[in-house]
Amino acid sequence: MALLEKQLKRIINQYKAWTEDNSDYSEAIANPYFMNNSAHQRFQKQLRSGKDNAGWTAVMNISHRYAYFAYYGGLKLLSGEQDGWDYIDRAYDGEWMKFKIAHDGDIEAGTAFMLAHSHLLGYQNRADYLGNFFYRFEQDAKAREQLEHTDIPRLIAQLWAKSQNLPLEHFGSFLVFENENSGYAELVRGLYKPDCAAIQQAMRQALDFHIEQSAKESGRMCTSVAYYLFPVEILYFLKLREEKGLTTELPGEHILWQAYEKIKPQHDYAAKLLDWDEALKLAFDKAVSQGFLQAEDWAFSYERV
């Protein structure tokens, strides 16, 4: 436990150090569009541009704010400010639009965590779109690349497929988890089984793994900064079980779960005005005007179930 405590402190210190030492971050949080100065200037040019790819590049520019939103939201949560969840949500709004337009996602864990995040918020269209991306990996080299790179997409993709009653055998070699101590295999096997000691142990192992990987600069979550501080993969597992009427004893004694309990949302943080992020809507409209996205994609992205 002492090692996990040390690693958790390191994660928080990494968060703070990145924001304190990064001038781009300071510029971004002072900007109404949450961009550093150079990115803001490029964005304005893209909105005015008549180039054929201006809408595409505007959306990609918007997605680059992910780290700023995620770090800012995380720091607010650590300070006890619940609206930090709004910023983490917005971090993934931009990432989602980037994915929708280009199937371009974070190879470490971000795209898979975005699937889990979307389901937890009730954005089921997003979750199923991402789930199909991973499940049809033989049709998309980028999906295969992510499944090859780390166990996290394998876990979340398998949980999604099982929730959809799709055969897991389709994943072939991607059914195997490289880290035998992550508890992931047992989480998949036990998804719809009654609560038992094996599930409890698997959750503890997965929480240990989450901390260990978040604390490493080259860890499996090294670019998924929104999820350093809370275990979205376990929350997704628990939510899927809850939806089937299964009860699960929460891992309340684990240090990461205790940290999450201090910052977990106290309200429906996804119920917000959709024009909260003006820059995202401007980029979306530009992409629609050039045919990179469809007007219906906005409702598709924000419909909640």
Side-chain angles (χ1 to χ4, degrees), residues 6 18 23 25 53 65 117 119 126 128 135 139 143 158 162 164 188 238 272:
K6 184 177 180 180
W18 191 89
S23 59
Y25 173 81
N53 67 341
R65 304 174 306 162
H117 174 95
H119 184 90
R126 297 191 199 186
D128 291 344
Y135 195 74
Q139 301 173 20
Q158 287 180 41
K162 199 164 184 175
Q164 302 294 309
V188 175
L238 291 169
K272 60 173 67 68

PDB file of all heavy atoms in Angstrom, residues 6 18 23 25 53 65 117 119 126 128 135 139 143 158 162 164 188 238 272:
ATOM      1  N   LYS A   6       2.635   6.254  -2.718  1.00  0.00           N
ATOM      2  CA  LYS A   6       3.715   7.033  -3.313  1.00  0.00           C
ATOM      3  C   LYS A   6       3.444   7.295  -4.785  1.00  0.00           C
ATOM      4  O   LYS A   6       3.652   8.407  -5.282  1.00  0.00           O
ATOM      5  CB  LYS A   6       5.037   6.280  -3.138  1.00  0.00           C
ATOM      6  CG  LYS A   6       6.261   7.035  -3.642  1.00  0.00           C
ATOM      7  CD  LYS A   6       7.534   6.245  -3.363  1.00  0.00           C
ATOM      8  CE  LYS A   6       8.760   6.996  -3.867  1.00  0.00           C
ATOM      9  NZ  LYS A   6      10.012   6.231  -3.601  1.00  0.00           N
ATOM     10  N   TRP A  18       3.095  19.830 -14.623  1.00  0.00           N
ATOM     11  CA  TRP A  18       2.873  20.087 -16.042  1.00  0.00           C
ATOM     12  C   TRP A  18       2.204  21.448 -16.251  1.00  0.00           C
ATOM     13  O   TRP A  18       2.571  22.200 -17.141  1.00  0.00           O
ATOM     14  CB  TRP A  18       2.003  18.977 -16.641  1.00  0.00           C
ATOM     15  CG  TRP A  18       1.935  19.000 -18.145  1.00  0.00           C
ATOM     16  CD1 TRP A  18       2.778  18.362 -19.007  1.00  0.00           C
ATOM     17  CD2 TRP A  18       0.988  19.704 -18.955  1.00  0.00           C
ATOM     18  NE1 TRP A  18       2.406  18.622 -20.301  1.00  0.00           N
ATOM     19  CE2 TRP A  18       1.318  19.439 -20.302  1.00  0.00           C
ATOM     20  CE3 TRP A  18      -0.089  20.532 -18.677  1.00  0.00           C
ATOM     21  CZ2 TRP A  18       0.593  19.967 -21.361  1.00  0.00           C
ATOM     22  CZ3 TRP A  18      -0.813  21.063 -19.738  1.00  0.00           C
ATOM     23  CH2 TRP A  18      -0.493  20.779 -21.058  1.00  0.00           C
ATOM     24  N   SER A  23       3.903  27.138 -20.473  1.00  0.00           N
ATOM     25  CA  SER A  23       3.385  28.467 -20.835  1.00  0.00           C
ATOM     26  C   SER A  23       2.191  28.358 -21.772  1.00  0.00           C
ATOM     27  O   SER A  23       1.285  29.209 -21.737  1.00  0.00           O
ATOM     28  CB  SER A  23       4.496  29.312 -21.476  1.00  0.00           C
ATOM     29  OG  SER A  23       5.005  28.670 -22.640  1.00  0.00           O
ATOM     30  N   TYR A  25      -0.146  26.155 -21.625  1.00  0.00           N
ATOM     31  CA  TYR A  25      -1.295  25.905 -20.766  1.00  0.00           C
ATOM     32  C   TYR A  25      -1.788  27.207 -20.147  1.00  0.00           C
ATOM     33  O   TYR A  25      -2.993  27.476 -20.117  1.00  0.00           O
ATOM     34  CB  TYR A  25      -0.911  24.914 -19.669  1.00  0.00           C
ATOM     35  CG  TYR A  25      -1.981  24.708 -18.615  1.00  0.00           C
ATOM     36  CD1 TYR A  25      -3.044  23.858 -18.838  1.00  0.00           C
ATOM     37  CD2 TYR A  25      -1.908  25.376 -17.393  1.00  0.00           C
ATOM     38  CE1 TYR A  25      -4.023  23.668 -17.874  1.00  0.00           C
ATOM     39  CE2 TYR A  25      -2.879  25.187 -16.425  1.00  0.00           C
ATOM     40  CZ  TYR A  25      -3.931  24.341 -16.663  1.00  0.00           C
ATOM     41  OH  TYR A  25      -4.892  24.159 -15.713  1.00  0.00           O
ATOM     42  N   ASN A  53      -9.687  22.022 -47.198  1.00  0.00           N
ATOM     43  CA  ASN A  53      -9.563  21.234 -45.968  1.00  0.00           C
ATOM     44  C   ASN A  53      -9.681  22.073 -44.704  1.00  0.00           C
ATOM     45  O   ASN A  53      -9.349  21.604 -43.610  1.00  0.00           O
ATOM     46  CB  ASN A  53      -8.229  20.481 -45.954  1.00  0.00           C
ATOM     47  CG  ASN A  53      -7.040  21.427 -45.841  1.00  0.00           C
ATOM     48  OD1 ASN A  53      -7.156  22.628 -46.119  1.00  0.00           O
ATOM     49  ND2 ASN A  53      -5.892  20.890 -45.427  1.00  0.00           N
ATOM     50  N   ARG A  65      -6.979  20.809 -27.818  1.00  0.00           N
ATOM     51  CA  ARG A  65      -7.187  21.389 -26.493  1.00  0.00           C
ATOM     52  C   ARG A  65      -7.417  20.341 -25.419  1.00  0.00           C
ATOM     53  O   ARG A  65      -7.573  20.670 -24.244  1.00  0.00           O
ATOM     54  CB  ARG A  65      -8.400  22.332 -26.527  1.00  0.00           C
ATOM     55  CG  ARG A  65      -8.305  23.442 -27.567  1.00  0.00           C
ATOM     56  CD  ARG A  65      -9.611  24.226 -27.638  1.00  0.00           C
ATOM     57  NE  ARG A  65     -10.740  23.347 -27.857  1.00  0.00           N
ATOM     58  CZ  ARG A  65     -12.011  23.675 -27.618  1.00  0.00           C
ATOM     59  NH1 ARG A  65     -12.304  24.867 -27.133  1.00  0.00           N
ATOM     60  NH2 ARG A  65     -12.979  22.831 -27.842  1.00  0.00           N
ATOM     61  N   HIS A 117     -16.235   6.451 -21.148  1.00  0.00           N
ATOM     62  CA  HIS A 117     -16.704   7.773 -20.725  1.00  0.00           C
ATOM     63  C   HIS A 117     -18.058   8.089 -21.360  1.00  0.00           C
ATOM     64  O   HIS A 117     -18.987   8.552 -20.687  1.00  0.00           O
ATOM     65  CB  HIS A 117     -15.655   8.803 -21.142  1.00  0.00           C
ATOM     66  CG  HIS A 117     -16.026  10.225 -20.911  1.00  0.00           C
ATOM     67  ND1 HIS A 117     -15.651  10.922 -19.787  1.00  0.00           N
ATOM     68  CD2 HIS A 117     -16.713  11.112 -21.667  1.00  0.00           C
ATOM     69  CE1 HIS A 117     -16.096  12.162 -19.858  1.00  0.00           C
ATOM     70  NE2 HIS A 117     -16.734  12.302 -20.988  1.00  0.00           N
ATOM     71  N   HIS A 119     -20.348   6.039 -22.501  1.00  0.00           N
ATOM     72  CA  HIS A 119     -21.419   5.208 -21.942  1.00  0.00           C
ATOM     73  C   HIS A 119     -21.846   5.724 -20.576  1.00  0.00           C
ATOM     74  O   HIS A 119     -23.055   5.790 -20.278  1.00  0.00           O
ATOM     75  CB  HIS A 119     -20.945   3.757 -21.833  1.00  0.00           C
ATOM     76  CG  HIS A 119     -22.002   2.815 -21.369  1.00  0.00           C
ATOM     77  ND1 HIS A 119     -22.841   2.157 -22.238  1.00  0.00           N
ATOM     78  CD2 HIS A 119     -22.391   2.435 -20.125  1.00  0.00           C
ATOM     79  CE1 HIS A 119     -23.691   1.401 -21.554  1.00  0.00           C
ATOM     80  NE2 HIS A 119     -23.440   1.562 -20.258  1.00  0.00           N
ATOM     81  N   ARG A 126     -22.215   7.529 -29.293  1.00  0.00           N
ATOM     82  CA  ARG A 126     -20.758   7.605 -29.329  1.00  0.00           C
ATOM     83  C   ARG A 126     -20.149   6.272 -28.897  1.00  0.00           C
ATOM     84  O   ARG A 126     -19.220   5.754 -29.533  1.00  0.00           O
ATOM     85  CB  ARG A 126     -20.236   8.692 -28.392  1.00  0.00           C
ATOM     86  CG  ARG A 126     -20.649  10.110 -28.709  1.00  0.00           C
ATOM     87  CD  ARG A 126     -19.825  11.074 -27.844  1.00  0.00           C
ATOM     88  NE  ARG A 126     -20.431  12.389 -27.745  1.00  0.00           N
ATOM     89  CZ  ARG A 126     -19.867  13.427 -27.148  1.00  0.00           C
ATOM     90  NH1 ARG A 126     -18.681  13.299 -26.588  1.00  0.00           N
ATOM     91  NH2 ARG A 126     -20.469  14.602 -27.094  1.00  0.00           N
ATOM     92  N   ASP A 128     -21.343   3.228 -28.911  1.00  0.00           N
ATOM     93  CA  ASP A 128     -21.522   2.141 -29.866  1.00  0.00           C
ATOM     94  C   ASP A 128     -20.696   2.359 -31.133  1.00  0.00           C
ATOM     95  O   ASP A 128     -20.188   1.399 -31.723  1.00  0.00           O
ATOM     96  CB  ASP A 128     -23.001   1.994 -30.216  1.00  0.00           C
ATOM     97  CG  ASP A 128     -23.824   1.470 -29.050  1.00  0.00           C
ATOM     98  OD1 ASP A 128     -23.221   0.936 -28.092  1.00  0.00           O
ATOM     99  OD2 ASP A 128     -25.062   1.608 -29.083  1.00  0.00           O
ATOM    100  N   TYR A 135     -14.411  -3.417 -32.633  1.00  0.00           N
ATOM    101  CA  TYR A 135     -14.870  -4.770 -32.962  1.00  0.00           C
ATOM    102  C   TYR A 135     -14.590  -5.111 -34.422  1.00  0.00           C
ATOM    103  O   TYR A 135     -14.331  -6.269 -34.754  1.00  0.00           O
ATOM    104  CB  TYR A 135     -16.356  -4.913 -32.653  1.00  0.00           C
ATOM    105  CG  TYR A 135     -16.821  -6.345 -32.614  1.00  0.00           C
ATOM    106  CD1 TYR A 135     -16.486  -7.168 -31.538  1.00  0.00           C
ATOM    107  CD2 TYR A 135     -17.573  -6.886 -33.648  1.00  0.00           C
ATOM    108  CE1 TYR A 135     -16.908  -8.491 -31.494  1.00  0.00           C
ATOM    109  CE2 TYR A 135     -18.000  -8.200 -33.613  1.00  0.00           C
ATOM    110  CZ  TYR A 135     -17.654  -8.996 -32.535  1.00  0.00           C
ATOM    111  OH  TYR A 135     -18.067 -10.322 -32.497  1.00  0.00           O
ATOM    112  N   GLN A 139     -11.194  -4.273 -40.379  1.00  0.00           N
ATOM    113  CA  GLN A 139     -11.535  -3.326 -41.438  1.00  0.00           C
ATOM    114  C   GLN A 139     -10.853  -1.970 -41.256  1.00  0.00           C
ATOM    115  O   GLN A 139     -11.007  -1.095 -42.102  1.00  0.00           O
ATOM    116  CB  GLN A 139     -13.050  -3.132 -41.492  1.00  0.00           C
ATOM    117  CG  GLN A 139     -13.826  -4.404 -41.737  1.00  0.00           C
ATOM    118  CD  GLN A 139     -15.331  -4.198 -41.616  1.00  0.00           C
ATOM    119  OE1 GLN A 139     -15.834  -3.093 -41.706  1.00  0.00           O
ATOM    120  NE2 GLN A 139     -16.061  -5.300 -41.413  1.00  0.00           N
ATOM    121  N   ALA A 143      -7.735   0.779 -35.683  1.00  0.00           N
ATOM    122  CA  ALA A 143      -8.300  -0.011 -34.590  1.00  0.00           C
ATOM    123  C   ALA A 143      -7.361  -1.157 -34.235  1.00  0.00           C
ATOM    124  O   ALA A 143      -7.097  -1.424 -33.056  1.00  0.00           O
ATOM    125  CB  ALA A 143      -9.675  -0.546 -34.985  1.00  0.00           C
ATOM    126  N   GLN A 158     -13.757  -5.580 -25.274  1.00  0.00           N
ATOM    127  CA  GLN A 158     -14.380  -6.866 -24.931  1.00  0.00           C
ATOM    128  C   GLN A 158     -15.599  -6.672 -24.035  1.00  0.00           C
ATOM    129  O   GLN A 158     -16.617  -7.359 -24.198  1.00  0.00           O
ATOM    130  CB  GLN A 158     -13.352  -7.775 -24.254  1.00  0.00           C
ATOM    131  CG  GLN A 158     -12.307  -8.324 -25.206  1.00  0.00           C
ATOM    132  CD  GLN A 158     -11.292  -9.214 -24.510  1.00  0.00           C
ATOM    133  OE1 GLN A 158     -11.642 -10.019 -23.655  1.00  0.00           O
ATOM    134  NE2 GLN A 158     -10.035  -9.072 -24.882  1.00  0.00           N
ATOM    135  N   LYS A 162     -19.335  -7.808 -25.163  1.00  0.00           N
ATOM    136  CA  LYS A 162     -20.131  -8.713 -24.321  1.00  0.00           C
ATOM    137  C   LYS A 162     -21.463  -8.074 -23.962  1.00  0.00           C
ATOM    138  O   LYS A 162     -22.494  -8.760 -23.915  1.00  0.00           O
ATOM    139  CB  LYS A 162     -19.344  -9.063 -23.056  1.00  0.00           C
ATOM    140  CG  LYS A 162     -19.836 -10.311 -22.345  1.00  0.00           C
ATOM    141  CD  LYS A 162     -18.815 -10.838 -21.347  1.00  0.00           C
ATOM    142  CE  LYS A 162     -19.285 -12.146 -20.731  1.00  0.00           C
ATOM    143  NZ  LYS A 162     -18.261 -12.736 -19.837  1.00  0.00           N
ATOM    144  N   GLN A 164     -23.116  -6.219 -25.818  1.00  0.00           N
ATOM    145  CA  GLN A 164     -23.924  -6.241 -27.045  1.00  0.00           C
ATOM    146  C   GLN A 164     -24.244  -7.660 -27.512  1.00  0.00           C
ATOM    147  O   GLN A 164     -24.796  -7.843 -28.606  1.00  0.00           O
ATOM    148  CB  GLN A 164     -23.167  -5.502 -28.167  1.00  0.00           C
ATOM    149  CG  GLN A 164     -22.814  -4.058 -27.856  1.00  0.00           C
ATOM    150  CD  GLN A 164     -24.025  -3.181 -27.719  1.00  0.00           C
ATOM    151  OE1 GLN A 164     -24.900  -3.181 -28.606  1.00  0.00           O
ATOM    152  NE2 GLN A 164     -24.105  -2.425 -26.633  1.00  0.00           N
ATOM    153  N   VAL A 188     -13.617  -9.477 -17.568  1.00  0.00           N
ATOM    154  CA  VAL A 188     -14.419  -9.854 -18.743  1.00  0.00           C
ATOM    155  C   VAL A 188     -15.217 -11.115 -18.446  1.00  0.00           C
ATOM    156  O   VAL A 188     -16.421 -11.177 -18.710  1.00  0.00           O
ATOM    157  CB  VAL A 188     -13.509 -10.056 -19.981  1.00  0.00           C
ATOM    158  CG1 VAL A 188     -14.340 -10.573 -21.163  1.00  0.00           C
ATOM    159  CG2 VAL A 188     -12.825  -8.752 -20.361  1.00  0.00           C
ATOM    160  N   LEU A 238     -18.648  -1.588 -13.698  1.00  0.00           N
ATOM    161  CA  LEU A 238     -19.716  -1.556 -12.689  1.00  0.00           C
ATOM    162  C   LEU A 238     -21.040  -1.081 -13.284  1.00  0.00           C
ATOM    163  O   LEU A 238     -22.106  -1.593 -12.921  1.00  0.00           O
ATOM    164  CB  LEU A 238     -19.302  -0.645 -11.529  1.00  0.00           C
ATOM    165  CG  LEU A 238     -18.158  -1.155 -10.652  1.00  0.00           C
ATOM    166  CD1 LEU A 238     -17.678  -0.060  -9.715  1.00  0.00           C
ATOM    167  CD2 LEU A 238     -18.592  -2.387  -9.863  1.00  0.00           C
ATOM    168  N   LYS A 272     -25.792  19.924 -19.658  1.00  0.00           N
ATOM    169  CA  LYS A 272     -25.341  21.306 -19.826  1.00  0.00           C
ATOM    170  C   LYS A 272     -25.829  21.847 -21.164  1.00  0.00           C
ATOM    171  O   LYS A 272     -26.268  21.096 -22.038  1.00  0.00           O
ATOM    172  CB  LYS A 272     -23.815  21.374 -19.769  1.00  0.00           C
ATOM    173  CG  LYS A 272     -23.142  20.532 -20.851  1.00  0.00           C
ATOM    174  CD  LYS A 272     -21.656  20.730 -20.886  1.00  0.00           C
ATOM    175  CE  LYS A 272     -20.994  20.208 -19.649  1.00  0.00           C
ATOM    176  NZ  LYS A 272     -21.056  18.741 -19.550  1.00  0.00           N
TER     177      LYS A 272
END
